[in-house]
Amino acid sequence: MLQLFLILFFLVLGIVSRRWSFVPENASFYLNKFLIYVILPALALKYMPNIQLEKKLLLPVLTAWINFGVSWLLFGTLGRKLQWKRSLTGCLIIVAGLANTSFVGIPMVNALYGPEAVQLAFLIDQAGSFIIVSSVAIVVANIYGKGKKRKRDITKKILGFPPFIFFCFAILINMQGWKVPEFVLPVVDVLTAMLTPVALTAVGMQLNLRFSALSNRHLWMGLGYKLLLIPAIIFLLYRYLFGLDGLLFQVSVVETAMAPMITGSIIAISHDLEPKLASLLVGVGIPLSFLTVLGWYWIVG
């Protein structure tokens, strides 16, 4: 449970640092860059080379893809019908469509279900959320971002996205049965340990919580989808159509119910897709999800 308190601590630290000007105004920009160019690639090197995929794990992994697909379908349709700005549509698709299955999801799953569930949660994160945020989310960001992007430019962005490059490299290491050099591992361990404090502090710095902001209907549309609607869809689909039960079913639903992914908000912010809304979705969603996740934990048993 200490990990859960640390999550809130670093989020509040970012908010306080910004409000009281303890750090430069552009500190969050550099923290975001450090996350994308250093920490996320280190995560790929730490976990992917040793992961063992089995057929029974495909359904839990699929939850992340269903989440993003339904988000794109829902908010893409609403955006056209209600004539939203393209930046608003893109922001909701990306941020609401990606669950924080890593540095919020993994500690919470560990606290609720124990170490046995952590490997499953990590597989959902790496084979689902991580691949999506490294590829499909970049496509959506370029489609809904300012100015028209050529397919060649979008492909170049994906192939040049550092986490995606290292993910592919780590998969190659896994398939070839190679090992990451021993002298690299201590450095990787240090970098990955910085994930939660750096990411949540950066989000806190970008969060400007005001009462007027909380009345934003798009904020509650995004959080309503992320915390209530998509977990309900996964619950019904996996229980009654796929007949999944036990730990696989429980972790699949609970991981889907996690707050919006911080990295997704960073992607939206870096492509100028409603940066304030992207930060709000994460900043409000994380503390609120502590309550909603416990509700889903009770529902799935």
Side-chain angles (χ1 to χ4, degrees):
M1 292 302 291
L2 175 62
Q3 292 173 307
L4 302 183
F5 289 112
L6 287 176
I7 289 168
L8 283 176
F9 171 78
F10 286 112
L11 184 65
V12 172
L13 177 64
I15 295 171
V16 171
S17 298
R18 180 185 181 279
R19 185 173 295 274
W20 296 96
S21 302
F22 292 150
V23 294
E25 285 188 11
N26 59 352
S28 62
F29 172 81
Y30 291 106
L31 288 179
N32 288 341
K33 290 292 184 184
F34 184 63
L35 273 168
I36 290 173
Y37 286 92
V38 179
I39 294 180
L40 293 181
L43 270 177
L45 284 180
K46 179 171 182 176
Y47 292 110
M48 288 311 299
N50 302 315
I51 229 164
Q52 297 292 326
L53 288 175
E54 302 175 19
K55 286 184 180 179
K56 67 178 183 180
L57 301 177
L58 291 179
L59 278 177
V61 169
L62 188 61
T63 57
W65 295 90
I66 295 173
N67 183 2
F68 196 84
V70 174
S71 177
W72 196 344
L73 178 64
L74 175 63
F75 292 116
T77 302
L78 287 175
R80 288 191 300 272
K81 297 289 186 183
L82 302 177
Q83 298 183 332
W84 289 347
K85 291 189 297 182
R86 291 182 63 81
S87 59
L88 172 60
T89 303
C91 175
L92 286 172
I93 290 171
I94 294 171
V95 185
L98 288 163
N100 200 324
T101 51
S102 182
F103 42 89
V104 173
I106 290 175
M108 288 195 74
V109 165
N110 185 45
L112 296 174
Y113 295 107
E116 185 183 352
V118 171
Q119 184 180 10
L120 180 58
F122 180 75
L123 282 173
I124 294 172
D125 178 66
Q126 291 294 297
S129 305
F130 190 86
I131 294 179
I132 295 169
V133 80
S134 302
S135 55
V136 186
I138 303 298
V139 173
V140 173
N142 281 278
I143 289 173
Y144 289 93
K146 291 181 179 178
K148 280 197 168 183
K149 306 291 192 302
R150 296 174 299 175
K151 290 181 180 178
R152 185 175 63 185
D153 295 335
I154 295 175
T155 303
K156 187 177 178 181
K157 273 205 165 187
I158 294 172
L159 296 178
F161 190 56
F164 184 73
I165 294 172
F166 276 82
F167 178 80
C168 292
F169 179 59
I171 288 290
L172 177 63
I173 292 175
N174 189 314
M175 293 174 63
Q176 296 296 327
W178 299 337
K179 296 290 182 182
V180 177
E182 289 292 331
F183 70 89
V184 175
L185 294 178
V187 178
V188 168
D189 287 339
V190 171
L191 291 174
T192 54
M194 299 169 69
L195 175 65
T196 297
V198 171
L200 287 164
T201 303
V203 168
M205 288 178 181
Q206 296 166 86
L207 189 61
N208 189 12
L209 277 179
R210 295 176 182 174
F211 183 77
S212 58
L214 295 179
S215 65
N216 186 335
R217 65 189 180 97
H218 299 118
L219 166 67
W220 298 109
M221 288 175 70
L223 291 180
Y225 168 82
K226 184 68 214 62
L227 302 179
L228 300 176
L229 178 60
I230 191 61
I233 291 173
I234 294 297
F235 177 89
L236 296 172
L237 189 65
Y238 278 48
R239 168 61 61 86
Y240 298 109
L241 182 62
F242 297 143
L244 208 61
D245 59 10
L247 195 61
L248 290 178
F249 171 70
Q250 293 167 325
V251 175
S252 295
V253 175
V254 167
E255 276 284 72
T256 305
M258 293 298 165
M261 182 195 281
I262 292 175
T263 312
S265 74
I266 291 171
I267 297 298
I269 291 166
S270 64
H271 286 80
D272 200 25
L273 299 175
E274 303 297 319
K276 290 182 179 179
L277 177 60
S279 294
L280 272 175
L281 283 164
V282 172
V284 176
I286 288 176
L288 183 59
S289 70
F290 289 147
L291 298 176
T292 56
V293 166
L294 289 177
W296 285 110
Y297 170 71
W298 177 78
I299 289 171
V300 298

